[in-house]
Amino acid sequence: MAAKSNGPAAGRKDGAKIWYPVLLDLEDKPCLVVGGGRVAERKACTLMEAGASVTVVSPRLTPQLEAWAEQGLIRTQREEYTAGLPVLAQAFLVFAATGDAVVNAQVCAEAEALGKLVNSADDAEAGGFIVPATLRRGRLTLAVSTAGASPSLAAKVRRQLEDMFGEEYAPYLELMHELRMTVQTVVSDTSERQELFRAMLEWKLLPLFKSGRLPYDHFRSELLRRVAEDPTIDGICSIGDWLLSLQNAWNGHE
């Protein structure tokens, strides 16, 4: 007799689909957008930002899509969608964004039959993935999804996150990445490294970045030097005191 499941699926009483959150590496991967309107334009734009090789299939394109095509940033096939297009068979990821629900459903059906990741712009449940509302701050990516229930609410939450996670997070994370690499080079013990990483998060770095007065190159070099010279908890705490003194000194001159 099979044991009763105590996993997450056991708590799904409303039958709602559970989506698996994931970040995809699309660098140089062939991606297809079927459609040539504003929605298709937005899909093509985000794919280009991710470094994808984008092809748009549509007899008509927005001025921006036309411009990207002329610049060689995207490939285009000026035709209506029909089943059996080689470009779909070759695609890693597909967006159905024609503005025609019937055509979008046909694109999704063919793509899924070929084992492709596909999204329908007008029916989240129809495809194999959905696109969340996204906020990027350099290496930081915050994604919000309501599983298609209310894209407007997802967009509202994203706007709220903009105030909580400002532009200062981009340089902050770049520096934290460099510090992490430094610690990994000079500290061999994994548990010790993790303790140091957690201690670094207590530094008052973000207010310094947010102030806009930080002489970044000099500050970066000095901070990396201090960590490399004393990669211990005492050393990290000492650096924290130094950072706090910098912040207090600047505040005192306001």
Side-chain angles (χ1 to χ4, degrees), residues 6 183 242 248 253:
N6 292 317
V183 170
W242 170 63
N248 290 336
H253 287 86

Side-chain angles (χ1 to χ4, degrees), residues 30 33 50 109 172 201 252:
V33 178
Y172 169 70
L201 295 179

Side-chain angles (χ1 to χ4, degrees), residues 36-244:
R38 290 299 179 87
V39 174
E41 178 186 309
R42 291 198 298 270
K43 304 304 184 186
C45 182
T46 56
L47 288 172
M48 287 191 295
E49 289 174 353
S53 177
V54 181
T55 299
V56 175
V57 172
S58 176
R60 292 167 297 280
L61 304 175
T62 66
Q64 183 61 74
L65 286 170
E66 291 278 12
W68 287 335
E70 290 175 5
Q71 296 167 30
L73 299 176
I74 62 173
R75 297 181 179 88
T76 60
Q77 289 186 201
R78 310 300 179 98
E79 59 183 297
E80 300 283 359
Y81 162 78
T82 55
L85 288 176
V87 70
L88 192 151
Q90 297 162 3
F92 173 78
L93 181 146
V94 179
F95 279 107
T98 66
D100 185 320
V102 173
V103 175
N104 286 348
Q106 292 171 345
V107 173
C108 286
E110 181 181 3
E112 290 201 319
L114 293 172
K116 307 295 182 181
L117 287 171
V118 60
N119 169 267
S120 176
D122 59 1
D123 185 358
E125 296 283 333
F129 73 96
I130 54 179
V131 180
T134 305
L135 174 65
R136 296 186 189 277
R137 298 293 191 230
R139 292 176 180 268
L140 178 66
T141 300
L142 301 175
V144 182
S145 174
T146 60
S150 178
S152 295
L153 176 59
K156 179 181 179 180
V157 174
R158 179 202 176 281
R159 290 192 296 271
Q160 293 171 338
L161 290 173
E162 286 182 352
D163 295 330
M164 297 172 60
F165 297 90
E167 298 291 347
E168 66 273 12
Y169 274 85
Y172 169 70
L173 275 172
E174 283 299 328
L175 184 53
M176 292 301 287
H177 174 69
E178 287 192 87
L179 291 166
R180 181 171 179 265
M181 295 298 102
T182 298
V183 170
Q184 287 181 331
T185 300
V186 297
V187 179
S188 58
D189 185 85
T190 301
S191 61
E192 288 183 18
R193 291 201 302 259
Q194 294 303 317
E195 187 177 6
L196 295 180
F197 296 150
R198 287 191 293 270
M200 286 179 184
L201 295 179
E202 301 303 316
W203 289 345
K204 303 302 181 183
L205 264 178
L206 279 167
L208 294 176
F209 280 107
K210 191 172 184 178
S211 72
R213 296 176 298 181
L214 192 68
Y216 181 77
D217 290 338
H218 173 74
F219 176 79
R220 167 186 167 277
S221 299
E222 179 63 17
L223 190 53
L224 289 169
R225 182 190 67 78
R226 287 174 181 249
V227 169
E229 285 186 355
D230 191 3
T232 64
I233 284 295
D234 285 344
I236 297 303
C237 290
S238 177
I239 292 172
D241 293 338
W242 170 63
L243 293 171
L244 188 58

